[in-house]
Amino acid sequence: MNQLPVFFGAAAYEFRMQIRRRAVWITMILLILLIAFALSRSTGNFNVFLGLNNYPLQTIIANWTDIINAILPIGVGVLLADRLPRDRRMRVDELFTSMPGALSSRLMGKYMGSMLATLVPMFAFYCTGIGYIFSQVQQPQVLWLAVETFAAIVLPGILFISAFSIACPAILWVPLYQFLFVGYWFWGNWLGARTGIPTLSDTILTPAGTYISSGFFGDSIFPVQNATVWQGIESMLLMLSIAVFVMVVLWSYLKWQQARQ
Amino acid sequence: MHVDRLRYELQLMGKRVILTPILVMLGFAAFAGLLAYLHVMPARFLSGGLEMILPLSAGVIVATVISHDPAIELQLTMPRKYDVTGIRRLGLIAAWTAIIAVLSSFIISLLQLTFEPAQLKSWSAPLQLLASQLTWLAPLLWLVAVGLCLAMLTRSRSASGAIMCGIWLIEILFKDYFASTSWLKPVFLFPSTLTPGIDFWLTNRIEVIVIALVLLPPGWLLLRNPEGLLKGSSEE
């Protein structure tokens, strides 16, 4: 059986299910309001809009993308964590097993569909900020830069955390995964090395896009400020390959579980 | 009878609720051991575990347990109201987390790894130990109460968990702003670890506890809305 329609069917269905969830919109809107509040009170490098005329356009757009990518991925990660256990809870997993569609296609459809749907509110808020920057600077390259920074800084990290958020609840209790994930997000992206605590925040394995933002666009709001383009590429490739690896491990685990039944 | 009910509720919630706070503190203890090996003083790190992670875990667990019961339709037909059952579950989770926190706090104190806020440094040792329990008690009560209200308002365990996690991160990233803005001081949850030098630590702890206690009655009232509970279970 051709698995491509299965993948697209599963992705489309998961997308529709996720985007219609009230929880997705409530969570993302409240997190966006928290960011808006923080922005309105910040005079430091967290507030990109204060220095629109003082910095190069590339720095401004990268800074805005960093801000989006600093907090909103928490919402994405937490909201995706219940997608796999939901199949078990609604008792549809066994029904799916009896169907001709392969597990791998359904799993990838679930991963892509639910991730893209959860990204919609995040992308809408991102576009609002880009629209404001465009209205102030009136330069058409804002739009191209906006697509470039979103694709480079946000997407690799989101693919990385989404893979973990879909996979980990296969063995972890959802609330346990949720608060471990937010703890990881702070420890692995924000905690400075000067605390003496071993951390991943100064390595290329930073899903907030530290090395990508600094390496490609010369600016980052995260602890690491100076990175090369190669480090940015390495960071991106590392996160994408780990995301693929995690999904393969999840597929193998679920296959093994099915074989035991 | 009451003891039987409590035991039954614990069995219903499962080992996960019992094991989670224990595993959190064991994890912190193991990492603190690594820090000691690396010659990094683990006192502040352990304080972070007690003040920031343990209460967050309790808040997320409360939001999960309270907003979803696999037999909610059956529960709502029983003479005993679900709000009583819900509050009992909330109390059990908070009490169990508090027991783990007290034990951890005493062990940390015995190992002389306590991370004292500046305001307590001039106090006598027994008073210090007693007052330092407010480090975890205030955020625990606040996050449990907020977890209850959010779970009932959003009717979603994922949404309430994510919002609490967002608040948690904002509190850390903007700690200086929280510590210096008068109207935000009463909701500054983690001053013992993040800004131990502040001179309003005790006032802050009392204010955070009062807000938590004020939030509990509305949460309890929201629990008395069967329609909301049923909608929540079907929307997830």
Side-chain angles (χ1 to χ4, degrees):
Chain A
M1 183 185 180
N2 185 4
Q3 293 302 323
L4 214 56
V6 178
F7 164 72
F8 283 116
Y13 208 87
E14 289 286 344
F15 183 91
R16 286 202 297 270
M17 275 203 299
Q18 185 77 339
I19 205 147
R20 286 174 186 164
R21 277 177 83 194
R22 269 181 353 125
V24 169
W25 291 95
I26 292 171
T27 305
M28 294 310 261
I29 288 171
L30 281 173
L31 288 178
I32 284 166
L33 288 177
L34 280 175
I35 295 177
F37 167 75
L39 270 175
S40 70
R41 303 289 152 175
S42 174
T43 51
N45 66 346
F46 205 78
N47 195 342
V48 60
F49 301 119
L50 285 178
L52 280 182
N53 298 316
N54 306 336
Y55 296 101
L57 200 53
Q58 181 172 283
T59 310
I60 292 165
I61 307 281
N63 203 267
W64 173 236
T65 317
D66 282 352
I67 290 165
I68 291 289
N69 214 28
I71 292 163
L72 290 182
I74 290 176
V76 176
V78 171
L79 287 164
L80 289 180
D82 63 350
R83 294 297 83 192
L84 192 66
R86 181 183 177 278
D87 287 352
R88 210 176 310 141
R89 205 178 64 243
M90 307 295 274
R91 308 197 193 288
V92 290
D93 51 345
E94 287 172 5
L95 191 69
F96 287 146
T97 313
S98 67
M99 289 178 173
L103 173 66
S104 54
S105 310
R106 279 191 286 108
L107 213 52
M108 281 309 287
K110 180 184 286 296
Y111 174 51
M112 285 295 166
S114 52
M115 182 192 72
L116 289 174
T118 322
L119 265 180
V120 169
M122 184 170 167
F123 188 67
F125 182 53
Y126 177 71
C127 290
T128 312
I130 293 296
Y132 177 76
I133 295 170
F134 182 68
S135 72
Q136 295 298 306
V137 298
Q138 306 272 332
Q139 293 179 36
Q141 65 262 41
V142 168
L143 304 174
W144 165 242
L145 270 170
V147 174
E148 202 181 335
T149 53
F150 193 84
I153 299 172
V154 177
L155 289 185
I158 290 290
L159 283 163
F160 175 83
I161 59 158
S162 300
F164 277 97
S165 291
I166 294 281
C168 290
I171 50 165
L172 279 179
W173 189 32
V174 174
L176 179 65
Y177 170 77
Q178 288 174 338
F179 75 81
L180 286 179
F181 168 68
V182 71
Y184 156 74
W185 188 259
F186 173 69
W187 170 75
N189 291 298
W190 282 99
L191 192 68
R194 63 188 164 78
T195 57
I197 297 172
T199 169
L200 292 175
S201 67
D202 55 353
T203 69
I204 56 171
L205 191 58
T206 39
T210 309
Y211 276 86
I212 300 170
S213 177
S214 180
F216 289 178
F217 306 104
D219 184 62
S220 163
I221 63 167
F222 302 101
V224 174
Q225 296 293 326
N226 302 309
T228 63
V229 174
W230 281 111
Q231 282 175 316
I233 294 171
E234 282 168 13
S235 175
M236 193 186 276
L237 290 176
L238 181 66
M239 279 185 289
L240 293 176
S241 29
I242 290 177
V244 172
F245 175 73
V246 168
M247 290 309 290
V248 170
V249 170
L250 174 65
W251 171 77
S252 314
Y253 174 73
L254 294 178
K255 271 288 207 198
W256 174 75
Q257 253 191 345
Q258 276 180 9
R260 281 179 66 206
Q261 282 174 351
Chain B
M1 185 67 178
H2 281 295
V3 176
D4 282 345
R5 275 215 184 109
L6 291 177
R7 206 180 64 226
Y8 189 63
E9 286 299 345
L10 270 178
Q11 280 172 348
L12 269 180
M13 287 192 288
K15 283 180 192 153
R16 297 177 294 193
V17 171
I18 304 293
L19 286 177
T20 301
I22 299 174
L23 289 176
V24 166
M25 286 322 291
L26 284 178
F28 266 83
F31 206 90
L34 174 71
L35 290 183
Y37 174 75
L38 295 171
H39 305 292
V40 177
M41 191 61 181
R44 194 174 189 182
F45 174 76
L46 287 168
S47 166
L50 268 180
E51 188 182 30
M52 294 158 74
I53 299 290
L54 207 56
L56 178 69
S57 75
V60 174
I61 291 171
V62 161
T64 304
V65 167
I66 222 113
S67 61
H68 182 81
D69 187 309
I72 187 69
E73 290 92 344
L74 193 65
Q75 284 265 14
L76 294 173
T77 63
M78 295 287 166
R80 179 164 289 275
K81 301 284 184 202
Y82 182 69
D83 56 293
V84 179
T85 309
I87 291 292
R88 184 181 293 129
R89 287 177 185 172
L90 178 146
L92 273 172
I93 295 165
W96 177 243
T97 311
I99 289 168
I100 300 299
V102 169
L103 281 174
S104 309
S105 175
F106 275 98
I107 294 169
I108 290 169
S109 174
L110 279 176
L111 295 170
Q112 296 187 323
L113 290 172
T114 311
F115 190 70
E116 293 289 359
Q119 219 182 355
L120 296 186
K121 287 204 168 134
S122 57
W123 294 23
S124 65
L127 263 182
Q128 262 187 16
L129 184 64
L130 203 64
S132 67
Q133 303 309 310
L134 294 174
T135 295
W136 56 264
L137 184 65
L140 172 69
L141 292 177
W142 197 91
L143 284 164
V144 162
V146 168
L148 167 68
C149 292
L150 281 176
M152 291 297 102
L153 286 172
T154 62
R155 294 170 186 166
S156 160
R157 39 190 178 177
S158 298
S160 36
I163 294 163
M164 272 192 286
C165 291
I167 295 171
W168 185 86
L169 192 64
I170 290 275
E171 290 250 355
I172 299 171
L173 298 183
F174 290 91
K175 62 181 190 323
D176 296 326
Y177 187 70
F178 273 81
S180 60
T181 308
S182 49
W183 67 272
L184 282 175
K185 284 178 186 175
V187 287
F188 185 27
L189 298 179
F190 316 121
S192 323
T193 308
L194 300 177
T195 54
I198 55 170
D199 58 358
F200 59 90
W201 182 85
L202 195 59
T203 320
N204 163 275
R205 299 289 81 180
I206 293 165
E207 285 170 340
V208 170
I209 291 172
V210 168
I211 291 175
L213 296 178
V214 168
L215 283 174
L216 280 175
W220 173 65
L221 280 177
L222 289 167
L223 257 180
R224 294 169 71 97
N225 174 13
E227 195 191 342
L229 289 165
L230 285 169
K231 272 189 178 170
S233 65
S234 61
E235 275 179 21
E236 281 283 292

